[in-house]
Structure formats: structure tokens, C-alpha cells
């Protein structure tokens, strides 16, 4: 579950910024002949809904419905007692109780006579939601529509990503000098990141040859980044990675064995858009992304990951 | 755990044989990892996973996250449901079933095996509900950690600290003990507080009631504890209110025995509130459930008056008469219990008292 800080600061993400994102979706709906766009959320796939409304489910599931006009509606299977909390942390219009999300969504679609319903990441929509809803309406995959709007990031998202990166850097800096156990590394990064206000942190520790790679995936107010460092640090590999992040063509100090670019283009916080073999989706300039690399150095493997903004 | 994993595998294989299933596809994500954990002892922390389990053969694990594929030794694919559908489509002579309904992605579920989803999900639900003794032992070990975690929470709850800082201390403790997962919500404040939520920025103040539901999952099995503390000395209203919750918890626990239903347990708790003139506060307006099953999933079958599920030995559940009290606000008190041959064993050891911390 999400158990870090969940809060909405209107200074960090003004309602007008969220309204602008929703308006872009509404404009695209008409062009695609869709009656509505649905975005499903649980804490595994929260990204489309958090981008539109700042709603981040700590548990349970919900659907955001964007109609051609008006504020987005939230169909939430959370207990009604949680609705005041949901209002506090997000920017939505009506909140509709939906203890059985699939049936509630089906009823909503029927009441509104929605015939062509676009769904972000339809392929991942849980069957418990899709099955009842699909009976009365044509479900259309709106992943491409959404992905085309989702990037580049706006300045508010960039600021949140910068803060997430700062949290991850501080968490990595808190790792004890000679940690004998992975549990000590995990405890150090957890407490540091959460005290800094992380919404969530997913640490992964890998023993690679004589080195230890620590990757932290950190969420701050709905925006995810990854940061990976290999210990002990290798100066020339670190310098090379910094240069690559700044788009400089520099030969690696070893054999590049893996290269992955991830970005937020749908309901998943980060999806692979490019690897060493192919480009799955070309990102526009200004897109928020994460670069992960692996090198085989002369004395063993080495890894790194960091967020970056796609250049023109 | 290896023994437990082997026991679960034998039960699953037998259930598949009885149901005539050659290949079972189990979908999972970080929210619903319980079914996959039962089958393969695998917990996914990012993205979608789909396991293709042959009854007497190989297992393939398809993962959406490259990092998870590496960590769990599975195969990375951008779309596990699409690849799973392709693989299953090539197994023309096999009898195939999909589960669970809550986690199966549309791209896989909409195909030719959709009729199998209901029965296969029910099959796995039964396996997870009626536990092996070794599973109940795992819940018992988790309850020990829940007690320890609550001590950390109690020490963390100091005036001026933000709610999310309390959680940071607890999470660091659990990680230091090798526990990767914890379900935790909390509340702080007074009569205006109507429930618990993920941690916000509110800072603990003198006189607050601080509630938490803390649920570590050290070996794939959860155990939960619910307690309420007061920052400073409790007032008379808080003491009076707490005595009702204590009586209700004791009544609920006393009702847990083989043959009793979840409804019986809920009624025992609720009757106490009704006797004290607080019957309105055991309705869905003020509370969700009066407890729930617990094990591989944190939120199992509900303890509610209309639930007819009968208890059997080695089932595990939390009994918690958590609800709003009109004089003091939201209050919680709950213990995880294991159904025994004659009654139940209370697995949480933290004293059932209105805990006071220094103001």
C-alpha cells in the first residue's frame, strides 16, 4: 500500500494546472468520437488519475471519468467516510460511491447513455471492472490518446520530480559506510525518504560482483523517479553517466550491456519506452524520463539510473 | 517457509487436478499479490505479473517491470497479458483456467478462457481461506512483529511530530527486521476525526487521540493490531468511551470458535455498543467492518452481521470494533486471533488499554 505522505499543496500543483490537463483530454475526446475517458486507479497503476486530479489511492480502487465538459468525476470504492479525505488531497467534481467498482461504472455508463468509452490502458483494466462495464458500452483503448497528451511534463510536475530526486539522493546519502546487512541499508533509506515526505519508496539492492547496486524508486506527490548508485563508487563511470544524462556523446568506460528509458505515459508510474534494442515510443522534448544503464567494467559490473528531461 | 511453500504447492496441485485444470494463469500486482504468493511464494512490488503454472510441469512468470523480472527471475515483457494470451493460445490441448478476477487484466481475461475465471478464483479463495496450521503459525509470527511495531509507533507519537514522521519510524523498524510490507493507516485529533487515513502533514498535539491499524507482512502473511493512544492524560469521556470498545473486543473474541459465523462475531461486538446506546455507530455511516479475515491478503472476508461464513480451526482474523464515538472521535482497538479447536488464540500481546504517552 501507499503509506507515506499523501497531501495536496495547491502551491505545488494549482487547481488551474489540473484543470488545464483535463481540458486537453476533453478537447481530444471530441476529435476521437468518444463520449468519455475513463482512467482506472489503484496504488499499482495510479499515474493517469493522479496526473488528472492529484488523487492517489493508498488502497482500494477508483475510476476517474472525464466527460466532454465539467470537472472529472471520481467513482471510488473507498468507504464513504473517506470521501472528505479524498476531497482534501485531490481536485475532483462529484465523488460517486462505488463499493463494487465494476457494477457502479456500468450503472454510470448506462445512466449517462455513454456508448463509446475510451479507457486508458484498457489492456490492464481489471476484469472485475471491465466485465460488467463492457456489457453496456463499447470500450475503446484510449492509451494512445492519453500518451500523446501526457508528455512533455509541465513545470509543476518537473518541480515534483526534482523534489523526488532530492529525497532519493538524501536517502542514498544516509546509507551507513560499511553496511553489513541489506536490512540496515533498507532501514536507512526508508526512514530518510519518509521523513523527507516521500509518498512511497521501493528500494532494490543487488550484489553485482564485488559491488552493491542500490536502486531507489521514489514517489513524491504522484511523481515517480528512480535513482541507482553502485558502491563503491567508480569515478569514471559516474562521470560518463552524468555526461550521458546531459546528452553528451561520450564512450562508456566499459561495455554497455543494458540501456532502458522509462517515462510516465499511462496508468503506470514508469513504463519502458526505449531499450538498447528498440524505441517503443518516441518522447517529445521536455518529457520527464528515467535512464537506467548497466556497464561491464574491467573489474566487474556497474549500474546507474537517474531522471532526466528529454532534450529537443 | 520452504515446508510451507511445498505444502501449499501440494494443495494447489491437488485442487487443480480435482478441477481438471492443466494450466493455471494467475495474475498479480502489488495490490493483489496474495494469489501469486500462495502459488509461487512470489510478491510483486511493481507492475503486472502473470504466472503460467502447469500442474505437473514448468512455470513461467511474465513481468511488466524489468527490475522485477530480474529480482524474481522472470521474463520481462512490456505487456504480460498479451504475451500470456499468446502462450496460452499455443497450448491447444491443455485445459486452461485464469484467476483471480480482481487482478486479471482485460487483455487476457476477455479471451476464450473467461468462463474459467469465476470457478478458478473461487478455488484459490477456498485454499487461502481454510489455512494450513503452518500458515496460521506464520500469521502468529507476524503478530509478534505487529506488537513490536506498535511499541515503535507509541514511542514515535510525540507532540509536534507530523503523522508521516510516525510512519517513517515504524517503516524503518520493519525494514530493519527484514519485513518488506506493512498496511498502515492512522488518525490523530479529537472529536472531529471520523476515521483513519494514510499519513498527512497534521502534527500531533496535546490531548489528541492517535489511532493506528498496523499490519506487518514479514513472511507473506499479515497480522494486524489496532490501538488508540492519548497524548497526555485521558479525560473521563475518553476513558468511558474506551471501556465500551474494550468490552466489545472481548465480546467479539469470545464469540470466535469453530462453527460460529463472521456474523456472530460482529453481532457480539455490536450488541455491546447497542447496550451502551451507541447502536447508530456500528452502521456503515460510521464504520466499515467489525474485523476481517487476515493472512496472505490484509483484508479478507468481512466481519459483518450479515456474513454467514462459518469459522474453522486455523482460520485467522482480526476482531476490531473500530468506529466513531460521538464524544471523543474515532477510536480503534483490535487483535488478530487464530481459531482453535475450542475457541481462539489471541495472537497480539500488546495490553488492551488506552495507552498514554507524554504530552
Amino acid at each position: 500500500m501507499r503509506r507515506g505522505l499523501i497531501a495536496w499543496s495547491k502551491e505545488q500543483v494549482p487547481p488551474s494546472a489540473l484543470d488545464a490537463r483535463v481540458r486537453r483530454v476533453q478537447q481530444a475526446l471530441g476529435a476521437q468520437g468518444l463520449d468519455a475517458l475513463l482512467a482506472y486507479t489503484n496504488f499499482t497503476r495510479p499515474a493517469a488519475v493522479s496526473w488528472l486530479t492529484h488523487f492517489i489511492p493508498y488502497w482500494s480502487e477508483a475510476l476517474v471519468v472525464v466527460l466532454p465538459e465539467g470537472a472529472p468525476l471520481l467513482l471510488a470504492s473507498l468507504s464513504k467516510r473517506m470521501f472528505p479525505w479524498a476531497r482534501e488531497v485531490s481536485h475532483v467534481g462529484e465523488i460517486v460511491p462505488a463499493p463494487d467498482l465494476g457494477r457502479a461504472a456500468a450503472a454510470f455508463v448506462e445512466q449517462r447513455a455513454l456508448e463509446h468509452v475510451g479507457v486508458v490502458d484498457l489492456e490492464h483494466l481489471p476484469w472485475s471492472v471491465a466485465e460488467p462495464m463492457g456489457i453496456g458500452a463499447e470500450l475503446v483503448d484510449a492509451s494512445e490518446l492519453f500518451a500523446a497528451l501526457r508528455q512533455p511534463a509541465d513545470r509543476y510536475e518537473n518541480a515534483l520530480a526534482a523534489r523526488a530526486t532530492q529525497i532519493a539522493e538524501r536517502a542514498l546519502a544516509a546509507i551507513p559506510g560499511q553496511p553489513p546487512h541489506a536490512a540496515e541499508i533498507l532501514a536507512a533509506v526508508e526512514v530518510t525518504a519518509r521523513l523527507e515526505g516521500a509518498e512511497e519508496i521501493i528500494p532494490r539492492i543487488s550484489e553485482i560482483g564485488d559491488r552493491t547496486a542500490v536502486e531507489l524508486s521514489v514517489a513524491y506527490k504522484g511523481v515517480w523517479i528512480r535513482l541507482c548508485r553502485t558502491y563503491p563508487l567508480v569515478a569514471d563511470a559516474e562521470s560518463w553517466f552524468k555526461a550521458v544524462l546531459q546528452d553528451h556523446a561520450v564512450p562508456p568506460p566499459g561495455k554497455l550491456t543494458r540501456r532502458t528509458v522509462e517515462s510516465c505515459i499511462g496508468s503506470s508510474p514508469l513504463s519502458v519506452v526505449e531499450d538498447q534494442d528498440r524505441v517503443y515510443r518516441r518522447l517529445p522534448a521536455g518529457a520527464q524520463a528515467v535512464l537506467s544503464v548497466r556497464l561491464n567494467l574491467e573489474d566487474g559490473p556497474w549500474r546507474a539510473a537517474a531522471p532526466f528531461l528529454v532534450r529537443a | 517457509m520452504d515446508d510451507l511453500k511445498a505444502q501449499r504447492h501440494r494443495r494447489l496441485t491437488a485442487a487443480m487436478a480435482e478441477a481438471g485444470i492443466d494450466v493455471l494463469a494467475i495474475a498479480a500486482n502489488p495490490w493483489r499479490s496474495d494469489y501469486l504468493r500462495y502459488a509461487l511464494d512470489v510478491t510483486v512490488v511493481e507492475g503486472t505479473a502473470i504466472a503460467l503454472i502447469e500442474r505437473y510441469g514448468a512455470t513461467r512468470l511474465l513481468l511488466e517491470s524489468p527490475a522485477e523480472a530480474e529480482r524474481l527471475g522472470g521474463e520481462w515483457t512490456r505487456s504480460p497479458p498479451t504475451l500470456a494470451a499468446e502462450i496460452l493460445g499455443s497450448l491447444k490441448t491443455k485445459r486452461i483456467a485464469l484467476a483471480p478476477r480482481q487482478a486479471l487484466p482485460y487483455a487476457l481475461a476477455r479471451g476464450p478462457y473467461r468462463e474459467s475465471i469465476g470457478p478458478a478464483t473461487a478455488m484459490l479463495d477456498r485454499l487461502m481461506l481454510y489455512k494450513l496450521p503452518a500458515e496460521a503459525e506464520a500469521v502468529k509470527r507476524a503478530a509478534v512483529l505487529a506488537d513490536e511495531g506498535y511499541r515503535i509507533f507509541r514511542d514515535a507519537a510525540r507532540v509536534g511530530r507530523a503523522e508521516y514522521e510516525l510512519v517513517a519510524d515504524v517503516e524503518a523498524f520493519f525494514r530493519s527486521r527484514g519485513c518488506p510490507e506493512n498496511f498502515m493507516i492512522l488518525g490523530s485529533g479529537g472529536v472531529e476525526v471520523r476515521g483513519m487515513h494514510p499519513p498527512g502533514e497534521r502534527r500531533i498535539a496535546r490531548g489528541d487521540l492517535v489511532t493506528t491499524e498496523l499490519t506487518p507482512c514479514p513472511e507473506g502473511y499479515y497480522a494486524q493490531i489496532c490501538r488508540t493512544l492519548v497524548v497526555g492524560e485521558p479525560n473521563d469521556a475518553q476513558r468511558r468511551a474506551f471501556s465500551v470498545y474494550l468490552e466489545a473486543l472481548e465480546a467479539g473474541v469470545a464469540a470466535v470458535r469453530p462453527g460460529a459465523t463472521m456474523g456472530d462475531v460482529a453481532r457480539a461486538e455490536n450488541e455491546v455498543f447497542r447496550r451502551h446506546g451507541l447502536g447508530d455507530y456500528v452502521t456503515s455511516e460510521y464504520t466499515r467492518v467489525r474485523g476481517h479475515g487476515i493472512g496472505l491478503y490484509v483484508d479478507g472476508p468481512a466481519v459483518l452481521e450479515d456474513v454467514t461464513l462459518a469459522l474453522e480451526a486455523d482460520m485467522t482474523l482480526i476482531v476490531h470494533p473500530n468506529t466513531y464515538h460521538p464524544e471523543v472521535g474515532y477510536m480503534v482497538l483490535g487483535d488478530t486471533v487464530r481459531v482453535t479447536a475450542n475457541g481462539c488464540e489471541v495472537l497480539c500481546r500488546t495490553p488492551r488499554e488506552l495507552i498514554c504517552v507524554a504530552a
Side-chain angles (χ1 to χ4, degrees):
Chain A
M1 72 170 300
R2 294 280 164 268
R3 50 196 181 270
L5 172 64
I6 295 185
W8 178 29
S9 155
K10 291 178 185 174
E11 286 72 42
Q12 287 177 315
V13 185
S16 59
L18 297 165
D19 291 340
R21 295 171 185 175
V22 170
R23 267 198 308 277
R24 289 171 64 198
V25 170
Q26 289 171 326
Q27 285 160 6
L29 283 179
Q32 303 268 331
L34 294 173
D35 299 324
L37 179 118
L38 264 59
Y40 171 84
T41 183
N42 62 27
F43 73 83
T44 305
R45 310 193 81 86
V49 167
S50 64
W51 185 70
L52 289 167
T53 67
H54 205 276
F55 179 71
I56 298 158
Y58 64 99
W59 188 250
S60 193
E61 58 186 350
L63 275 168
V64 154
V65 186
V66 179
L67 297 166
E69 290 180 351
L73 293 92
L74 184 72
L75 275 62
S77 55
L78 281 171
S79 157
K80 270 168 72 175
R81 290 177 303 115
M82 297 305 295
F83 288 6
W85 170 80
R87 288 217 171 279
E88 222 174 86
V89 297
S90 64
H91 186 52
V92 293
E94 186 184 356
I95 303 182
V96 181
D100 181 329
L101 188 60
R103 283 190 192 167
F108 182 87
V109 163
E110 190 182 346
Q111 282 161 14
R112 301 288 180 117
L114 305 174
E115 291 180 1
H116 307 292
V117 177
V119 181
V120 180
D121 282 347
L122 175 60
E123 70 167 332
H124 285 285
L125 189 66
W127 190 238
S128 52
V129 179
E131 186 187 27
M133 217 175 23
I135 293 167
E138 182 199 1
L139 301 181
V140 178
D141 186 16
S143 304
E144 185 54 42
L145 175 154
F146 187 81
L149 301 172
R150 178 61 184 83
Q151 298 287 350
D154 58 29
R155 63 189 167 105
Y156 306 106
E157 185 174 5
N158 286 338
L160 296 178
R163 176 70 182 127
T165 307
Q166 186 184 50
I167 291 171
E169 282 168 348
R170 289 179 180 172
L172 286 174
I175 293 174
Q178 292 292 326
H181 299 298
E184 286 187 43
I185 299 176
L186 294 172
V189 298
E190 283 278 350
V191 75
T192 306
R194 292 182 189 279
L195 286 175
E196 291 277 339
E199 169 200 318
E200 195 50 82
I201 171 170
I202 301 176
R204 292 188 180 89
I205 300 173
S206 310
E207 299 300 331
I208 47 170
D210 293 336
R211 300 190 177 99
T212 303
V214 181
E215 183 199 76
L216 301 183
S217 301
V218 171
Y220 179 71
K221 300 192 174 174
V223 175
W224 284 79
I225 60 93
R226 296 193 211 281
L227 205 59
C228 176
R229 296 258 163 80
T230 300
Y231 301 94
L233 298 175
V234 181
D236 54 349
E238 298 281 335
S239 307
W240 167 78
F241 187 59
K242 272 185 194 160
V244 169
L245 286 171
Q246 289 162 10
D247 221 17
H248 299 308
V250 182
K255 182 175 168 27
L256 181 67
T257 56
R258 189 183 291 182
R259 178 181 175 281
T260 309
V261 177
E262 296 171 281
S263 184
C264 184
I265 53 171
S267 61
S268 182
L270 290 168
S271 302
V272 175
V273 293
E274 187 178 331
D275 61 22
Q276 66 276 12
D277 299 321
R278 59 180 288 199
V279 175
Y280 301 100
R281 178 171 199 90
R282 203 162 290 285
L283 295 172
Q288 273 285 349
V290 170
L291 174 66
S292 302
V293 295
R294 294 181 184 192
L295 297 180
N296 266 345
L297 304 176
E298 271 186 9
D299 59 350
W302 180 90
R303 297 181 184 182
F308 71 105
L309 276 179
V310 174
R311 288 162 192 260
Chain B
M1 275 303 278
D2 283 347
D3 183 44
L4 172 54
K5 187 179 168 185
Q7 288 181 55
R8 285 193 313 229
H9 182 71
R10 280 196 295 275
R11 281 185 86 194
L12 176 62
T13 305
M16 287 171 66
E18 193 181 337
I21 299 169
D22 294 322
V23 180
L24 178 62
I26 298 182
N29 55 53
W31 183 28
R32 295 311 303 246
S33 259
D34 41 330
Y35 295 85
L36 189 59
R37 218 160 32 233
Y38 189 90
L40 298 182
D41 207 25
V42 161
T43 298
V44 62
V45 298
E46 198 173 347
T48 295
I50 297 175
L52 307 176
I53 301 166
E54 287 196 45
R55 194 166 82 218
Y56 299 117
T59 291
R60 291 180 72 174
L61 182 60
L62 315 177
L63 293 137
E64 185 185 11
S65 155
E68 286 295 272
E70 182 189 8
R71 184 178 71 87
L72 299 170
E75 302 168 48
W76 174 70
T77 167
R78 289 187 82 224
S79 177
T82 305
L83 180 56
E86 284 171 19
I87 294 168
L88 293 176
S90 69
L91 305 173
K92 295 194 189 317
T93 59
K94 305 272 189 177
R95 289 167 295 178
I96 292 164
L98 314 178
R101 189 168 178 267
Q102 306 92 311
L104 270 169
Y106 174 83
L108 177 59
R110 69 176 167 169
Y113 318 109
R114 67 167 71 181
E115 297 303 325
S116 73
I117 295 171
T121 303
M123 175 188 82
L124 286 169
D125 282 339
R126 280 193 300 277
L127 291 177
M128 294 196 292
L129 179 64
Y130 300 104
K131 291 184 183 64
L132 296 157
E135 294 183 274
E137 286 298 316
V139 175
K140 187 173 181 174
R141 289 191 293 275
V144 172
L145 196 59
D147 282 326
E148 292 175 8
Y150 189 76
R151 283 200 289 275
I152 301 295
F153 180 82
R154 187 187 57 196
D155 293 344
R158 300 190 298 273
V159 170
R161 297 198 83 201
E163 290 177 344
Y164 68 88
E165 294 176 327
L166 275 54
V167 175
D169 288 6
V170 173
E171 291 298 323
F173 168 72
F174 283 146
R175 287 314 89 72
S176 74
R177 297 292 302 272
C179 172
E181 161 71 356
N182 172 37
F183 177 96
M184 182 173 182
I185 47 180
L186 53 74
S188 69
V191 73
E192 75 285 359
V193 179
R194 297 206 162 226
M196 291 185 287
H197 47 72
E201 291 169 311
R202 184 183 184 279
R203 295 195 177 273
I204 305 298
R206 183 185 172 85
D208 277 356
L209 283 185
V210 183
T211 54
T212 192
E213 195 171 89
L214 200 153
T215 327
C217 183
E219 302 167 35
Y221 288 84
Y222 290 91
Q224 188 167 85
I225 184 169
C226 306
R227 289 291 185 273
T228 300
L229 63 82
V230 188
V231 183
E233 279 301 307
N235 59 36
D236 287 346
Q238 289 168 333
R239 285 185 205 281
R240 273 198 314 275
F242 180 79
S243 69
V244 178
Y245 291 71
L246 179 59
E247 192 182 335
L249 175 58
E250 287 170 347
V253 169
V256 176
R257 66 177 71 88
T261 65
M262 291 293 211
D264 294 334
V265 178
R267 257 186 304 281
E269 294 176 65
N270 292 347
E271 283 300 336
V272 172
F273 280 82
R274 289 192 272 261
R275 275 203 305 276
H276 287 274
L278 295 165
D280 286 351
Y281 299 96
V282 299
T283 62
S284 60
E285 198 64 30
Y286 295 97
T287 184
R288 188 178 68 93
V289 291
R290 317 307 282 148
H292 47 81
I294 198 156
L296 287 163
Y297 187 53
V298 69
D299 192 19
V303 177
L304 284 170
E305 292 195 38
D306 60 355
V307 176
T308 57
L309 174 68
L311 298 171
E312 291 190 14
D314 289 324
M315 281 186 178
T316 48
L317 61 148
I318 170 102
V319 180
H320 64 38
N322 305 346
T323 191
Y324 180 74
H325 189 287
E327 289 182 73
V328 301
Y330 199 75
M331 201 171 243
V332 305
L333 183 67
D335 285 337
T336 295
V337 302
R338 171 187 187 173
V339 183
T340 60
N342 304 312
C344 74
E345 177 186 6
V346 177
L347 304 182
C348 297
R349 298 283 179 223
T350 301
R352 292 175 186 163
E353 56 191 37
L354 184 57
I355 295 150
C356 307
V357 299

